[in-house]
Amino acid sequence: MLQEEYRPDLCGISINSGYSKFKDKTSLKTAGSHRWLPLPPAAIEQIDEHIAWKDSMRANHPAFADNDFLFVSRFGAPITPDVYSKGFRRLLASYNDD
């Protein structure tokens, strides 16, 4: 999702775009995929910290996160959808192993 879709003033985020597994911007699958997601104060605080981190990285490394995505990797690249699904599978496997 794009950083402009994050609306802390409205306590939420509008999910209207993303980054595809083919590494390009996408307007998501269908109109039904576009939605408003309310965020609790703790999530807003975390996202604000992430934005501050990106801003500080950009100040020191101008080419860092040279894109308009809200969430980026530690290297500044947009996060592809499979990163989330792989992370969830690792988390689930770890939980089931305990």
Side-chain angles (χ1 to χ4, degrees), residues 79-92:
I79 298 173
T80 56
D82 64 329
V83 169
Y84 299 109
S85 60
K86 288 177 185 175
F88 181 74
R89 285 194 294 270
R90 281 193 308 270
L91 180 67
L92 189 58

Side-chain angles (χ1 to χ4, degrees), residues 7-78:
R7 296 293 308 271
D9 57 322
L10 299 176
C11 299
I13 194 162
S14 177
I15 303 173
N16 296 312
S17 60
Y19 194 64
S20 78
K21 66 180 180 180
F22 304 109
K23 301 189 177 188
D24 58 357
K25 278 186 191 175
T26 176
S27 61
L28 304 178
K29 296 175 254 178
T30 66
S33 297
H34 299 209
R35 61 184 57 91
W36 174 257
L37 179 65
L39 298 172
I44 291 172
E45 183 178 324
Q46 290 295 307
I47 293 171
D48 287 345
E49 286 179 18
H50 178 75
I51 292 170
W53 167 76
K54 278 187 3 182
D55 290 344
S56 72
M57 291 296 288
R58 283 182 179 145
N60 294 317
H61 311 281
F64 180 84
D66 189 17
N67 57 67
D68 52 356
F69 288 97
L70 177 59
F71 299 110
V72 297
S73 73
R74 63 186 171 140
F75 304 109

